Amino acid sequence: MPEGGDLHAEPEERRFAKLVNQVKAMMSACLKPEYRGFYGQLVLPREAVTELGEVAEVRRAARAAGRQLGWQVRTHVSDDGTVIIIDDRDPPQEVQRLAARRSADAVAALITRAQAEARMRRTSAPPIRPRDPGEDL
């Protein structure tokens, strides 16, 4: 019998260690190399969380995995059961500047696309013919 007399402790520890490794792999996969390990964020939809286990266990595993990765982990659970895991560390200035530039480029591209779509809708809409005042009579 294991020390402490709990037969279930060791299998439970192995199961949790496996969960930590699964979550850690997903957290690592979401990293962009150019951000040098900063700006990590993982969004787990409710279905993914259900496959992994209980919400509280997934959050606990995310914190453990984050410590292994050097993250300062924050977790949040949305109303629909989505678990959001983020690295809340302050990145170095050069990484901050790169991320800000990338964000600005993404927003500019989104605005440009929306403007182009609006122009296409305006130019491809059928012309509206003026109503004849006597038409409703």
Side-chain angles (χ1 to χ4, degrees), residues 19 26 43-59 77 81-85:
L19 178 59
M26 290 186 280
V43 178
L44 295 172
R46 182 186 61 224
E47 297 79 19
V49 174
T50 302
E51 287 178 23
L52 291 169
E54 297 293 321
V55 170
E57 280 293 292
V58 172
R59 291 177 82 181
V77 180
T82 298
V83 174
I84 301 163
I85 304 164

Side-chain angles (χ1 to χ4, degrees), residues 1 8 27 135:
M1 183 179 253
H8 301 289
M27 290 166 69
E135 194 174 305

Side-chain angles (χ1 to χ4, degrees), residues 4-120:
D6 189 354
L7 288 172
H8 301 289
E10 191 174 319
E12 183 62 27
E13 288 172 17
R14 281 197 306 263
R15 187 196 63 73
F16 183 72
K18 180 180 176 186
L19 178 59
V20 169
N21 287 334
Q22 287 177 294
V23 174
K24 181 180 173 183
M26 290 186 280
M27 290 166 69
S28 295
C30 75
L31 294 171
K32 295 181 178 178
E34 61 270 23
Y35 294 158
R36 298 186 350 221
F38 289 90
Y39 290 116
Q41 57 185 4
L42 176 63
V43 178
L44 295 172
R46 182 186 61 224
E47 297 79 19
V49 174
T50 302
E51 287 178 23
L52 291 169
E54 297 293 321
V55 170
E57 280 293 292
V58 172
R59 291 177 82 181
R60 189 167 76 101
R63 289 189 293 273
R67 283 190 295 276
Q68 293 176 13
L69 292 169
W71 289 21
Q72 182 178 339
V73 174
R74 294 191 61 186
T75 63
H76 174 76
V77 180
S78 68
D79 292 341
D80 70 355
T82 298
V83 174
I84 301 163
I85 304 164
I86 63 167
D87 175 11
D88 202 29
R89 295 176 294 160
D90 285 328
Q93 280 296 117
E94 62 272 11
V95 174
Q96 286 181 11
R97 282 192 295 274
L98 176 61
R101 205 168 36 253
R102 294 269 170 91
S103 294
D105 291 347
V107 169
L110 184 64
I111 291 170
T112 300
R113 180 176 168 193
Q115 289 171 334
E117 288 175 2
R119 274 192 303 276
M120 287 177 60

